[in-house]
Amino acid sequence: MNEAAAVWPLSLRLAHWLGAVLVLAALGLGTAMVQFVHNPAARFELTQTHKSIGIVILALTVVRLCRRSFSRAPKSEPAARSLLLAAQAAHIALYALLLLMPVSGWLMATTTPVRVPTVVFGLFALPYPLAPNLAIYGLARATHVALAILLASLIAIHIAAAMIHAFIWRDGTLARMWRTPVR
């Protein structure tokens, strides 16, 4: 990508927005199924969907990171060095969480004493490379919940920062992830 380009490549913009929808769906579904759904059959179906979305998020994030490694970021808007470093750290943390959340969920599924197959959108079953282990399951579950809270918090900060860029500072930061370049 040209260093002076005004926006991110279309493939990365689409991956960003698709990922955003999927992550919000997974977080909302995960919270709802744990907090509000007590019917075992309904919870089973929601859990399968939640796990399927998580696997898609993991795959999309890996593809996105690979694609990102071949692209230069659009030139940043002028800002204090501390703000640029904070933005970079937040983006690294978001990517790390998008990888760790599905992995911790899969670790839960593979170490639970109750061996219920994880079938991704009814297409294929994920393997269980680890034996059931209640201690690892408990640690993976606690990690998954903690990471979900951290991810939701970081997403809120990310959205707030985007709104500040768009409506207070009125710079082109949000536009680079939204629109196509003007030629």
Side-chain angles (χ1 to χ4, degrees), residues 8 19 27 50-51 54 61 65 69 71 82 88 100-101 103 111-112 116 120 125 137 140 155 158 174:
W8 287 97
L27 286 171
H50 175 77
K51 292 191 288 185
T61 302
L65 285 169
S69 69
S71 300
S82 59
Q88 184 177 30
L100 293 172
M101 281 291 302
V103 169
T111 58
T112 182
V116 177
V120 179
Y137 168 80
I155 288 169
H158 184 69
L174 181 60

mmCIF file of all heavy atoms in Angstrom, residues 8 19 27 50-51 54 61 65 69 71 82 88 100-101 103 111-112 116 120 125 137 140 155 158 174:
data_model
loop_
_atom_site.group_PDB
_atom_site.id
_atom_site.type_symbol
_atom_site.label_atom_id
_atom_site.label_comp_id
_atom_site.label_asym_id
_atom_site.label_seq_id
_atom_site.Cartn_x
_atom_site.Cartn_y
_atom_site.Cartn_z
ATOM 1 N N TRP A 8 -7.441 2.577 4.722
ATOM 2 C CA TRP A 8 -6.986 1.193 4.767
ATOM 3 C C TRP A 8 -7.486 0.471 3.516
ATOM 4 O O TRP A 8 -8.501 0.849 2.947
ATOM 5 C CB TRP A 8 -7.554 0.508 6.012
ATOM 6 C CG TRP A 8 -6.902 0.941 7.273
ATOM 7 C CD1 TRP A 8 -7.337 1.894 8.150
ATOM 8 C CD2 TRP A 8 -5.688 0.435 7.819
ATOM 9 N NE1 TRP A 8 -6.469 2.012 9.197
ATOM 10 C CE2 TRP A 8 -5.447 1.127 9.023
ATOM 11 C CE3 TRP A 8 -4.781 -0.533 7.405
ATOM 12 C CZ2 TRP A 8 -4.329 0.875 9.818
ATOM 13 C CZ3 TRP A 8 -3.673 -0.782 8.197
ATOM 14 C CH2 TRP A 8 -3.460 -0.080 9.393
ATOM 15 N N GLY A 19 -15.467 -8.382 11.650
ATOM 16 C CA GLY A 19 -14.966 -8.788 12.966
ATOM 17 C C GLY A 19 -15.692 -8.078 14.090
ATOM 18 O O GLY A 19 -16.036 -8.688 15.111
ATOM 19 N N LEU A 27 -19.823 -11.681 22.232
ATOM 20 C CA LEU A 27 -19.872 -11.175 23.604
ATOM 21 C C LEU A 27 -21.308 -11.120 24.120
ATOM 22 O O LEU A 27 -21.586 -11.536 25.251
ATOM 23 C CB LEU A 27 -19.229 -9.780 23.681
ATOM 24 C CG LEU A 27 -17.705 -9.728 23.579
ATOM 25 C CD1 LEU A 27 -17.236 -8.279 23.442
ATOM 26 C CD2 LEU A 27 -17.048 -10.401 24.778
ATOM 27 N N HIS A 50 -22.251 -19.772 19.764
ATOM 28 C CA HIS A 50 -21.203 -18.935 20.364
ATOM 29 C C HIS A 50 -19.817 -19.484 20.013
ATOM 30 O O HIS A 50 -18.928 -18.726 19.605
ATOM 31 C CB HIS A 50 -21.413 -18.895 21.883
ATOM 32 C CG HIS A 50 -20.341 -18.179 22.633
ATOM 33 N ND1 HIS A 50 -20.264 -16.804 22.676
ATOM 34 C CD2 HIS A 50 -19.307 -18.641 23.375
ATOM 35 C CE1 HIS A 50 -19.224 -16.445 23.427
ATOM 36 N NE2 HIS A 50 -18.624 -17.542 23.852
ATOM 37 N N LYS A 51 -19.638 -20.786 20.148
ATOM 38 C CA LYS A 51 -18.345 -21.389 19.835
ATOM 39 C C LYS A 51 -18.035 -21.283 18.340
ATOM 40 O O LYS A 51 -16.887 -21.030 17.960
ATOM 41 C CB LYS A 51 -18.310 -22.851 20.299
ATOM 42 C CG LYS A 51 -18.336 -22.986 21.819
ATOM 43 C CD LYS A 51 -18.040 -24.396 22.292
ATOM 44 C CE LYS A 51 -19.154 -25.347 22.032
ATOM 45 N NZ LYS A 51 -18.872 -26.700 22.609
ATOM 46 N N GLY A 54 -16.880 -17.846 17.643
ATOM 47 C CA GLY A 54 -15.520 -17.693 18.164
ATOM 48 C C GLY A 54 -14.466 -18.250 17.225
ATOM 49 O O GLY A 54 -13.417 -17.634 17.012
ATOM 50 N N THR A 61 -9.257 -13.226 12.385
ATOM 51 C CA THR A 61 -8.166 -12.450 12.985
ATOM 52 C C THR A 61 -6.818 -12.893 12.433
ATOM 53 O O THR A 61 -5.962 -12.060 12.122
ATOM 54 C CB THR A 61 -8.201 -12.560 14.521
ATOM 55 O OG1 THR A 61 -9.469 -12.100 14.989
ATOM 56 C CG2 THR A 61 -7.089 -11.742 15.160
ATOM 57 N N LEU A 65 -4.456 -10.443 10.351
ATOM 58 C CA LEU A 65 -3.078 -10.140 10.736
ATOM 59 C C LEU A 65 -2.101 -10.463 9.615
ATOM 60 O O LEU A 65 -1.142 -9.716 9.391
ATOM 61 C CB LEU A 65 -2.707 -10.894 12.017
ATOM 62 C CG LEU A 65 -3.308 -10.326 13.293
ATOM 63 C CD1 LEU A 65 -3.107 -11.290 14.457
ATOM 64 C CD2 LEU A 65 -2.713 -8.964 13.621
ATOM 65 N N SER A 69 0.114 -7.615 7.647
ATOM 66 C CA SER A 69 1.581 -7.630 7.584
ATOM 67 C C SER A 69 2.106 -7.218 6.212
ATOM 68 O O SER A 69 3.278 -6.872 6.076
ATOM 69 C CB SER A 69 2.111 -9.022 7.959
ATOM 70 O OG SER A 69 1.793 -9.956 6.958
ATOM 71 N N SER A 71 0.588 -4.695 4.448
ATOM 72 C CA SER A 71 0.052 -3.348 4.188
ATOM 73 C C SER A 71 0.680 -2.340 5.130
ATOM 74 O O SER A 71 0.924 -2.642 6.293
ATOM 75 C CB SER A 71 -1.461 -3.320 4.422
ATOM 76 O OG SER A 71 -2.116 -4.212 3.587
ATOM 77 N N SER A 82 2.442 10.419 22.946
ATOM 78 C CA SER A 82 1.822 9.557 23.959
ATOM 79 C C SER A 82 0.484 9.004 23.465
ATOM 80 O O SER A 82 0.149 7.838 23.719
ATOM 81 C CB SER A 82 1.630 10.312 25.271
ATOM 82 O OG SER A 82 0.820 11.452 25.067
ATOM 83 N N GLN A 88 -1.519 2.620 19.544
ATOM 84 C CA GLN A 88 -0.818 1.425 19.077
ATOM 85 C C GLN A 88 -0.930 0.298 20.106
ATOM 86 O O GLN A 88 -1.198 -0.857 19.745
ATOM 87 C CB GLN A 88 0.647 1.752 18.799
ATOM 88 C CG GLN A 88 1.421 0.590 18.209
ATOM 89 C CD GLN A 88 2.859 0.962 17.885
ATOM 90 O OE1 GLN A 88 3.458 1.819 18.528
ATOM 91 N NE2 GLN A 88 3.418 0.306 16.885
ATOM 92 N N LEU A 100 -6.692 -14.629 21.869
ATOM 93 C CA LEU A 100 -6.748 -15.350 23.142
ATOM 94 C C LEU A 100 -8.156 -15.765 23.560
ATOM 95 O O LEU A 100 -8.328 -16.832 24.167
ATOM 96 C CB LEU A 100 -6.108 -14.502 24.251
ATOM 97 C CG LEU A 100 -4.609 -14.284 24.123
ATOM 98 C CD1 LEU A 100 -4.118 -13.286 25.158
ATOM 99 C CD2 LEU A 100 -3.862 -15.600 24.231
ATOM 100 N N MET A 101 -9.155 -14.943 23.252
ATOM 101 C CA MET A 101 -10.535 -15.290 23.638
ATOM 102 C C MET A 101 -10.979 -16.607 23.018
ATOM 103 O O MET A 101 -11.422 -17.508 23.736
ATOM 104 C CB MET A 101 -11.513 -14.173 23.239
ATOM 105 C CG MET A 101 -11.544 -12.985 24.154
ATOM 106 S SD MET A 101 -12.241 -13.336 25.761
ATOM 107 C CE MET A 101 -13.858 -13.915 25.316
ATOM 108 N N VAL A 103 -9.160 -18.993 21.779
ATOM 109 C CA VAL A 103 -8.281 -20.066 22.240
ATOM 110 C C VAL A 103 -8.670 -20.498 23.650
ATOM 111 O O VAL A 103 -8.738 -21.698 23.948
ATOM 112 C CB VAL A 103 -6.797 -19.639 22.158
ATOM 113 C CG1 VAL A 103 -5.897 -20.628 22.876
ATOM 114 C CG2 VAL A 103 -6.379 -19.500 20.696
ATOM 115 N N THR A 111 -11.155 -29.381 27.473
ATOM 116 C CA THR A 111 -10.760 -29.955 28.769
ATOM 117 C C THR A 111 -11.947 -30.231 29.684
ATOM 118 O O THR A 111 -11.763 -30.784 30.758
ATOM 119 C CB THR A 111 -9.777 -29.020 29.504
ATOM 120 O OG1 THR A 111 -10.384 -27.746 29.695
ATOM 121 C CG2 THR A 111 -8.461 -28.902 28.745
ATOM 122 N N THR A 112 -13.144 -29.869 29.264
ATOM 123 C CA THR A 112 -14.307 -30.118 30.107
ATOM 124 C C THR A 112 -14.543 -31.626 30.266
ATOM 125 O O THR A 112 -14.337 -32.387 29.319
ATOM 126 C CB THR A 112 -15.575 -29.447 29.544
ATOM 127 O OG1 THR A 112 -16.655 -29.681 30.435
ATOM 128 C CG2 THR A 112 -15.933 -29.963 28.157
ATOM 129 N N VAL A 116 -18.873 -32.704 24.887
ATOM 130 C CA VAL A 116 -19.878 -32.348 23.892
ATOM 131 C C VAL A 116 -19.122 -31.832 22.668
ATOM 132 O O VAL A 116 -18.346 -30.882 22.777
ATOM 133 C CB VAL A 116 -20.836 -31.249 24.434
ATOM 134 C CG1 VAL A 116 -21.822 -30.833 23.367
ATOM 135 C CG2 VAL A 116 -21.531 -31.731 25.687
ATOM 136 N N VAL A 120 -18.716 -26.595 14.246
ATOM 137 C CA VAL A 120 -18.714 -25.218 13.763
ATOM 138 C C VAL A 120 -19.797 -25.041 12.698
ATOM 139 O O VAL A 120 -19.670 -25.557 11.591
ATOM 140 C CB VAL A 120 -17.320 -24.820 13.234
ATOM 141 C CG1 VAL A 120 -17.324 -23.386 12.714
ATOM 142 C CG2 VAL A 120 -16.276 -24.991 14.322
ATOM 143 N N ALA A 125 -16.479 -30.805 13.026
ATOM 144 C CA ALA A 125 -16.231 -30.856 14.470
ATOM 145 C C ALA A 125 -14.769 -30.511 14.749
ATOM 146 O O ALA A 125 -13.870 -30.922 14.005
ATOM 147 C CB ALA A 125 -16.555 -32.234 15.009
ATOM 148 N N TYR A 137 -9.781 -26.823 32.929
ATOM 149 C CA TYR A 137 -11.071 -26.276 32.517
ATOM 150 C C TYR A 137 -11.425 -25.049 33.373
ATOM 151 O O TYR A 137 -11.820 -24.004 32.835
ATOM 152 C CB TYR A 137 -12.179 -27.329 32.632
ATOM 153 C CG TYR A 137 -13.551 -26.735 32.489
ATOM 154 C CD1 TYR A 137 -14.071 -26.435 31.238
ATOM 155 C CD2 TYR A 137 -14.320 -26.440 33.611
ATOM 156 C CE1 TYR A 137 -15.323 -25.858 31.097
ATOM 157 C CE2 TYR A 137 -15.572 -25.866 33.489
ATOM 158 C CZ TYR A 137 -16.064 -25.578 32.229
ATOM 159 O OH TYR A 137 -17.302 -25.005 32.102
ATOM 160 N N ALA A 140 -9.205 -22.165 32.401
ATOM 161 C CA ALA A 140 -9.581 -21.655 31.079
ATOM 162 C C ALA A 140 -10.887 -20.870 31.164
ATOM 163 O O ALA A 140 -11.028 -19.824 30.519
ATOM 164 C CB ALA A 140 -9.711 -22.810 30.088
ATOM 165 N N ILE A 155 -13.082 -2.513 23.846
ATOM 166 C CA ILE A 155 -13.940 -2.138 22.721
ATOM 167 C C ILE A 155 -14.654 -0.825 23.020
ATOM 168 O O ILE A 155 -14.748 0.052 22.150
ATOM 169 C CB ILE A 155 -14.953 -3.258 22.402
ATOM 170 C CG1 ILE A 155 -14.229 -4.435 21.751
ATOM 171 C CG2 ILE A 155 -16.074 -2.752 21.497
ATOM 172 C CD1 ILE A 155 -15.069 -5.691 21.639
ATOM 173 N N HIS A 158 -12.197 1.849 22.536
ATOM 174 C CA HIS A 158 -11.919 1.966 21.097
ATOM 175 C C HIS A 158 -13.027 2.767 20.405
ATOM 176 O O HIS A 158 -12.746 3.679 19.612
ATOM 177 C CB HIS A 158 -11.806 0.563 20.506
ATOM 178 C CG HIS A 158 -11.432 0.502 19.068
ATOM 179 N ND1 HIS A 158 -10.196 0.850 18.592
ATOM 180 C CD2 HIS A 158 -12.141 0.105 17.981
ATOM 181 C CE1 HIS A 158 -10.156 0.675 17.288
ATOM 182 N NE2 HIS A 158 -11.331 0.231 16.882
ATOM 183 N N LEU A 174 -11.317 8.023 11.693
ATOM 184 C CA LEU A 174 -12.429 7.096 11.483
ATOM 185 C C LEU A 174 -12.711 6.916 9.989
ATOM 186 O O LEU A 174 -12.995 5.808 9.537
ATOM 187 C CB LEU A 174 -13.687 7.572 12.212
ATOM 188 C CG LEU A 174 -14.915 6.669 12.100
ATOM 189 C CD1 LEU A 174 -14.638 5.278 12.656
ATOM 190 C CD2 LEU A 174 -16.102 7.288 12.824
#
